[in-house]
Amino acid sequence: TDLKYPTIKDLRWRVDVSISTSAMARTMSPLVLMEMTLSDGRVWTFEVPQDRFHELRFNVAKVLQEVEQLDKLPILKIKT
């Protein structure tokens, strides 16, 4: 059997800032609200704190850089 996982079809995001809550008079804490639409039609909405968003952004950039380095290795070149 061939297992197929859905892919990300669309990713939308925005930054929300909570100015105050019932527990605190002034919080000013930014949250990144993300909405991800998958190829199978499911929509996932989730919030990410600012520090976790920066961690995600950093790690994605790091992985892309590593993939770029791997792509330069001659052993991975396909000769035609």
Side-chain angles (χ1 to χ4, degrees):
T1 61
D2 194 20
L3 226 100
K4 298 221 179 205
Y5 294 101
T7 58
I8 297 175
K9 184 177 175 183
D10 188 33
L11 180 68
R12 305 178 94 193
W13 62 275
R14 73 169 194 245
V15 177
D16 285 343
V17 178
S18 297
I19 296 172
S20 65
T21 66
S22 58
M24 300 174 81
R26 193 172 168 100
T27 60
M28 300 296 281
S29 57
L31 279 174
V32 179
L33 181 66
M34 303 182 85
E35 182 182 270
M36 183 170 48
T37 305
L38 302 179
S39 58
D40 63 4
R42 289 184 292 166
V43 177
W44 291 81
T45 304
F46 52 95
E47 292 179 342
V48 181
Q50 182 183 15
D51 59 333
R52 297 293 291 185
F53 177 76
H54 284 302
E55 185 180 334
L56 171 66
R57 187 177 59 84
F58 173 80
N59 287 325
V60 167
K62 187 176 172 181
V63 167
L64 288 174
Q65 188 177 33
E66 290 176 5
V67 167
E68 193 174 286
Q69 292 298 322
L70 281 175
D71 194 36
K72 293 178 182 177
L73 293 176
I75 196 162
L76 296 177
K77 302 283 184 202
I78 298 174
K79 295 181 182 180
T80 55

